[in-house]
Amino acid sequence: MNPVRIGICGLGTVGSGTVNILTRNKAHIDARAGCNISIVQIGARRDNPNVDTSKFNVTRDIFEVANNPDVDVLVEVIGGTTIAKDLVLKAIENGKHVVTANKALIAHYGNEIFAAAKAKGVTVAFEAAVAGGIPIIKAIREGLAANNIEWLAGIINGTGNFILTEMRDKGRSFDDVLAEAQALGYAEADPTFDVEGIDAAHKLVILASLAFGIPLEISKVFTEGITKIASEDVTYAEELGYRIKNLGIARRTDKGIELRVHPTLIPEKRLIANVDGVMNAVLVKGDAVGPTLYYGAGAGFRRRRKKASLASL
């Protein structure tokens, strides 16, 4: 089998999980891909106790990976939009394919990155950037390719969904559940991106770009989080037969594409209203197939598994 040589930058939850899965499931992955996939270098500022890197070439300079002629595909999982952007563009400049889980990077700089990749004849893959373990990018790009997408709506931030679920099921306050989410590893020390809807907005922009063939424009998304939701709001919604979910919604209108993230009342009998905890779900309406629902674990689930020493991608 032809070799594909991988360089991984970042050893956080996603990076360490990537190394573990590529190592543990190597035989299955190689057979399905039809090639010998091997990790030839890892770039990380520090080690991660959840992964054994003793058998790999590890460097503290991530740009060494981007400049390594033995690397065919660079996997960017360092996060952020500054160094990560420079790293990805350098890898593309050097003729390397890129795989990234960085939704903020794609949402803010995807247009520039994809243009650079096209000019160099390389691919930028970003399935892991949206909805955790759900292959929603492939579903929209390939599975629904014959459809005219009319709208999509999704629970695409597991941390916010966990908080709303706990508030509903146990009558707890927002602040109380947020503290637990941080202790469990679902939320970061600074939870702003999760609870203010920013993380969901990044993902929504990516989904909308694929679904409607529009540029990535994060500034066009109306964004509202869940910090103003009180336990009484959740209780009253339940009494009226609704559940509150923070949805990312994109749809065609006569004036263009509407993009918004905000708390939404959903009838309790709807499938998406019963997506709880850190799980994600995306509902897509195509003109030919009708509504389709995609459900699975979100990024918060990955962080929780890290706490249990079972990190995975």
Side-chain angles (χ1 to χ4, degrees):
M1 291 188 291
N2 293 328
V4 173
R5 301 166 298 180
I6 306 293
I8 297 175
C9 292
L11 273 183
T13 303
V14 180
S16 61
T18 301
V19 174
N20 286 334
I21 283 188
L22 286 175
T23 302
R24 185 175 69 242
N25 295 344
K26 179 173 172 53
H28 297 294
I29 295 171
D30 287 355
R32 289 167 181 159
C35 58
N36 177 24
I37 299 176
S38 61
I39 301 171
V40 299
Q41 191 171 33
I42 296 172
R45 291 179 298 175
R46 61 183 67 88
D47 294 329
N48 186 325
N50 292 312
V51 61
D52 179 9
T53 58
S54 60
K55 296 181 181 179
F56 299 110
N57 172 15
V58 179
T59 176
R60 300 306 181 198
D61 180 4
I62 58 173
F63 286 90
E64 185 178 323
V65 182
N67 290 317
N68 187 340
D70 293 330
V71 170
D72 301 312
V73 180
L74 183 138
V75 178
E76 182 277 308
V77 282
I78 65 173
T81 58
T82 52
I83 296 175
K85 176 189 174 186
D86 294 339
L87 176 70
V88 166
L89 289 175
K90 174 56 69 174
I92 291 171
E93 180 185 326
N94 290 336
K96 303 183 190 306
H97 302 288
V98 172
V99 175
T100 179
N102 193 333
K103 61 268 187 181
L105 178 67
I106 297 298
H108 285 277
Y109 300 110
N111 297 324
E112 178 183 351
I113 289 169
F114 294 136
K118 182 178 181 180
K120 292 294 292 188
V122 298
T123 298
V124 176
F126 51 97
E127 180 69 68
V130 180
I134 307 172
I136 188 61
I137 302 298
K138 187 177 181 66
I140 292 176
R141 176 181 276 169
E142 299 179 21
L144 300 175
N147 283 259
N148 178 32
I149 304 298
E150 298 175 3
W151 55 263
L152 61 86
I155 298 169
I156 45 181
N157 181 270
T159 301
N161 200 44
F162 170 78
I163 292 172
L164 290 173
T165 300
E166 288 290 302
M167 291 175 70
R168 185 195 73 223
D169 289 349
K170 300 177 182 178
R172 300 168 64 188
S173 70
F174 171 85
D175 290 337
D176 181 36
V177 184
L178 174 58
E180 181 185 1
Q182 291 172 312
L184 289 172
Y186 295 153
E188 303 292 345
D190 179 358
T192 303
F193 272 39
D194 290 323
V195 299
E196 294 292 359
I198 300 170
D199 175 78
H202 288 151
K203 298 169 183 174
L204 181 67
V205 164
I206 296 171
L207 293 178
S209 178
L210 294 169
F212 304 119
I214 59 176
L216 294 148
E217 294 184 276
I218 187 66
S219 63
K220 300 297 179 65
V221 185
F222 171 82
T223 306
E224 181 181 345
I226 62 173
T227 55
K228 296 179 182 179
I229 301 294
S231 56
E232 291 83 0
D233 297 321
V234 178
T235 300
Y236 294 150
E238 285 281 304
E239 291 176 355
L240 294 171
Y242 292 87
R243 291 183 177 175
I244 299 176
K245 296 293 183 182
N246 208 47
L247 292 185
I249 301 169
R251 66 186 183 99
R252 293 185 187 273
T253 72
D254 293 338
K255 296 181 179 180
I257 306 300
E258 181 180 281
L259 300 170
R260 48 196 169 93
V261 173
H262 55 76
T264 307
L265 287 171
I266 306 174
E268 62 184 2
K269 292 184 179 180
R270 296 284 180 89
L271 284 175
I272 201 167
N274 292 280
V275 175
D276 291 333
V278 294
M279 305 304 281
N280 284 194
V282 181
L283 186 61
V284 184
K285 173 66 161 55
D287 67 330
V289 74
T292 55
L293 182 67
Y294 307 85
Y295 170 88
F301 177 74
R302 289 201 301 266
R303 289 196 290 267
R304 180 66 182 105
R305 292 194 71 183
K306 177 185 177 183
K307 293 290 183 177
S309 297
L310 291 170
S312 64
L313 178 62

